Amino acid sequence: MTGADAKTALERGRPVVLVCPPAPERAQPLWELLGPTVLIVCADDAAAAEWPAVAPGGLRVHAVTGLARSARRLKEHPPQVLAGAVKDLAALVQRAALKVDQVASLVVAWPEALVAGEQAAALDTLLGEAREARRLVLSWNPALLGDFLERHARRPLVVGTLPVTESGAPFPAVGRVRYCVVPPARRPAVVRDVVDALDAREPVIWHGGPIPAPTGRPDAVICTALPSRDELAALVRLGEPVVFIGAAQLPYLRSLATLTPFALPGAADRARDRAEELRERVARVLEHGVDAELALLDPLFERFDPAEVAAALLALQRDAGCGMRDAVAAAPGADARVKVFVGVGKKDRASAKDLVGALIREAGVAKEDIGRIDVRETFSLVEVAPGAADRAVRGLTGTTIRGRRVIARLDRER
């Protein structure tokens, strides 16, 4: 079946099932099949927040990450595409902010995560109120959706390759894969953690697209995008991949491979690493000799244990580098800010005024929570109050500023 077949089926009122991995960036054929107004039903608000960044340019796309903000947006400047979790869309319908009977195309995004959960009843109600909309279901395994499709997308046209052999049996696992659950905004920073944890010198880092062909065998394979079965099989041939996924994508990945969780280094691991590095530095100094320093400290050794003297010197070094310990231990003041990276800068003709407007209108950040804005050549750094940081990241991601669709994340460089 082709995209033209799917479009014809939808125009005639027949539902369509598009088979693809459960990630918005893998559903690109979807955009050619949609009507003028689109509702995308997602498993949760984190999944909904991914859609604005992958939508074609020129479309007004809004992800429901806050009910009050979304209700205002629907009233003042309705988007062409609205993506939201079942519970949030149901709440907007209840508030009369969302009128599903006016939706031209309704997309149910990978209901494998919804049909057997506590949101199943709310999903049935929502779909029942949008009977006139063209119905398109994104699925990674339609065989799991028998009852759901019978009720809400009867006798659909299935487009894509089903995940079964010619005899109808599931495919075998492509190999062993390690995984970790990481939100998309954090993945660039977590890549560094994984490379450090694996002590990799020649890693392959796959962000989607063609599988690279390294000259030698890599010592690590890291996937920040969700692969198809064929792509994962190719990556497994390079080594045992570490795949970053969202929590709802775990059943899909489990259907492809034998899984082992990958433990990311936590705060305690990083503290041990820093302690080990300090011990190594001290050992190198001792190997070169410290006779003069011992003579200087000899009077203290008569009064204190040498270990206590060493600890006191370490404390003095820390105080010199970071200020007095009392000041370090004090809670951050009310003016403490968090930096947010925004992927738009001077070359895009963006200004601080543009960013302030987007933060207030699109992200719902209060003006008093916005601090210093540093607009650089290709990106900007925005300081916001700690309590508004997550709201700023979710609200700015996918927003169009000066004609460019941007991505925002917490700045991890400091």
Side-chain angles (χ1 to χ4, degrees):
M1 297 295 177
T2 65
D5 295 328
K7 193 165 187 177
T8 300
L10 288 169
E11 290 172 352
R12 293 176 177 175
R14 185 180 179 186
V16 170
V17 173
L18 182 62
V19 182
C20 59
E25 66 270 16
R26 305 311 304 262
Q28 289 304 315
L30 167 76
W31 300 107
E32 300 178 1
L33 306 175
L34 302 177
T37 56
V38 182
L39 181 65
I40 303 177
V41 184
C42 306
D44 52 42
D45 56 358
E50 296 181 39
W51 283 98
V54 303
L59 278 181
R60 297 193 312 275
V61 184
H62 176 73
V64 181
T65 54
L67 292 179
R69 170 176 167 249
S70 295
R72 288 195 303 271
R73 181 71 179 271
L74 288 167
K75 180 180 179 181
E76 298 168 2
H77 193 51
Q80 295 166 286
V81 181
L82 180 70
V86 175
K87 59 181 179 60
D88 292 335
L89 296 176
L92 290 172
V93 170
Q94 190 173 18
R95 295 184 180 193
L98 172 61
K99 297 177 173 55
V100 292
D101 58 342
Q102 298 177 5
V103 172
S105 298
L106 189 144
V107 179
V108 186
W110 300 286
E112 289 90 343
L114 294 170
V115 294
E118 60 184 15
Q119 301 186 77
L123 178 61
D124 287 343
T125 301
L126 184 67
L127 295 180
E129 296 183 9
R131 296 184 183 278
E132 301 303 318
R134 297 178 182 177
R135 197 153 296 186
L136 197 150
V137 178
L138 301 176
S139 171
W140 59 268
N141 189 357
L144 301 177
L145 304 176
D147 291 341
F148 172 81
L149 295 177
E150 181 66 24
R151 295 195 310 275
H152 298 295
R154 194 159 181 247
R155 298 181 62 190
L157 176 70
V158 179
V159 179
T161 303
L162 294 173
V164 293
T165 65
E166 292 182 358
S167 63
F171 284 111
V174 299
R176 297 184 60 83
V177 169
R178 289 178 286 181
Y179 73 92
C180 48
V181 177
V182 185
R186 288 194 60 231
R187 290 179 185 177
V190 175
V191 165
R192 296 192 293 270
D193 291 338
V194 174
V195 170
D196 290 342
L198 297 175
D199 193 23
R201 291 171 175 78
E202 296 182 2
V204 166
I205 302 173
W206 183 72
H207 302 294
I211 305 298
T215 54
R217 187 166 180 84
D219 51 8
V221 180
I222 302 170
C223 308
T224 64
L226 190 66
S228 67
R229 172 175 288 275
D230 291 342
E231 289 165 341
L232 187 60
L235 290 163
V236 166
R237 287 193 287 271
L238 299 178
E240 185 175 283
V242 178
V243 182
F244 295 174
I245 59 171
Q249 295 168 340
L250 182 56
Y252 164 77
L253 192 64
R254 187 178 288 122
S255 74
L256 304 183
T258 302
L259 301 186
T260 303
F262 183 89
L264 292 171
D269 299 311
R270 295 188 182 94
R272 283 193 292 270
D273 290 342
R274 289 193 295 269
E276 181 62 28
E277 181 185 3
L278 177 60
R279 284 192 289 268
E280 291 178 359
R281 289 171 57 196
V282 171
R284 288 195 294 269
V285 172
L286 290 171
E287 288 170 358
H288 287 84
V290 289
D291 293 344
E293 289 80 2
L294 284 172
L296 177 65
L297 297 173
D298 188 59
L300 290 174
F301 293 151
E302 297 177 1
R303 297 172 54 195
F304 303 99
D305 185 277
E308 293 179 309
V309 176
L313 290 172
L314 182 60
L316 287 174
Q317 182 191 44
R318 185 172 67 239
D319 290 344
C322 304
M324 295 303 293
R325 275 183 291 171
D326 289 344
V328 172
D335 293 333
R337 299 282 182 174
V338 174
K339 288 187 177 181
V340 174
F341 171 96
V342 186
V344 66
K346 292 178 181 177
K347 74 177 184 63
D348 306 300
R349 297 177 288 108
S351 66
K353 183 178 179 181
D354 296 323
L355 291 162
V356 170
L359 283 164
I360 294 174
R361 291 193 307 272
E362 305 298 335
V365 176
K367 188 174 183 180
E368 58 269 20
D369 287 339
I370 304 173
R372 183 172 177 269
I373 297 178
D374 182 9
V375 181
R376 301 187 185 180
E377 187 64 23
T378 59
F379 66 92
S380 302
L381 294 175
V382 181
E383 295 183 355
V384 298
D390 288 341
R391 190 183 317 124
V393 169
R394 292 197 305 267
L396 287 177
T397 296
T399 296
T400 299
I401 298 178
R402 290 286 181 177
R404 179 180 176 87
R405 195 179 300 278
V406 302
I407 294 177
R409 57 174 169 79
L410 295 181
D411 181 44
R412 302 290 184 183
E413 298 180 359
R414 291 157 179 79

